[in-house]
Amino acid sequence: MSKLKRYIEAVILLLCLFLAGCSPDNPSGKLCRIEFLSAGTEEVLKTLDKQTQEQVFSLLQVDEWEETDKPEGELTPEYKILVYQEKTPALLSFLPFFSSGSDYIQILEFTMYKDSQYVLEHIDTDEIISNSFIPNISVSSYYAVSGEILKDIYGEIS
């Protein structure tokens, strides 16, 4: 009986690790992809693949952005920045009829405005929590971003 119990415990541990998305390939977390788009045409201008979460935060420097109220006046969208994150592999995702086709899900969207220091951050959990009992949440926030940070981000787009 003790061999059967050890076997069951080992299987449960492996299932927990597999379902949690632990990956020895990237111990620092899930990889991300950043797409820079023209806001008017939705044309992808540049893509950065296989970015760690630390690289994304370092590039965008979001920890230095200051949340603000919606700015007065008209803002003209210039660029969109879409941040995607690797999906957590599901137990049956290796089977073709259970696969969704994409390895990434969009987690963040930023809109940068022409001749403005403001950036709109939009988070929509619809794709992140699809097929679950958790309700969808959609949140938008405006941030004032320093000229130096904007210069770094625009430099990455070019």
Side-chain angles (χ1 to χ4, degrees):
M1 185 69 169
S2 68
K3 283 186 178 184
L4 179 60
K5 184 178 176 183
R6 285 186 202 162
Y7 175 75
I8 292 171
E9 289 173 351
V11 169
I12 291 172
L13 177 62
L14 287 172
L15 283 175
C16 288
L17 290 174
F18 186 68
L19 291 173
C22 292
S23 171
D25 298 336
N26 185 17
S28 66
K30 295 179 182 180
L31 292 176
C32 298
R33 179 178 74 218
I34 305 172
E35 290 183 350
F36 299 95
L37 290 80
S38 170
T41 63
E42 299 287 322
E43 173 190 357
V44 177
L45 304 171
K46 186 173 185 177
T47 301
L48 299 174
D49 277 318
K50 297 183 180 178
Q51 302 289 299
T52 65
Q53 293 170 1
E54 292 82 17
Q55 289 172 313
V56 173
F57 288 120
S58 175
L59 171 69
L60 299 177
Q61 303 173 50
V62 293
D63 55 334
E64 296 184 33
W65 296 10
E66 292 182 39
E67 190 168 5
T68 185
D69 294 331
K70 183 177 180 181
E72 298 288 326
E74 187 78 21
L75 296 173
T76 305
E78 185 173 18
Y79 296 109
K80 285 187 178 183
I81 302 171
L82 306 180
V83 180
Y84 298 86
Q85 186 178 58
E86 283 182 311
K87 287 183 178 178
T88 301
L91 181 60
L92 299 175
S93 63
F94 63 92
L95 297 173
F97 49 88
F98 284 108
S99 176
S100 66
S102 175
D103 295 335
Y104 289 91
I105 56 171
Q106 182 179 329
I107 58 171
L108 292 170
E109 177 180 320
F110 299 103
T111 303
M112 299 177 68
Y113 297 96
K114 188 173 187 168
D115 301 323
S116 175
Q117 68 177 17
Y118 296 105
V119 175
L120 173 65
E121 173 188 57
H122 183 74
I123 302 170
D124 189 354
T125 62
D126 187 38
E127 189 175 346
I128 299 170
I129 59 172
S130 63
N131 300 325
S132 72
F133 296 108
I134 301 170
N136 180 35
I137 299 168
S138 184
V139 178
S140 295
S141 301
Y142 282 92
Y143 291 88
V145 181
S146 75
E148 190 64 33
I149 294 173
L150 287 174
K151 183 179 169 186
D152 291 344
I153 295 172
Y154 280 117
E156 191 62 45
I157 296 171
S158 302

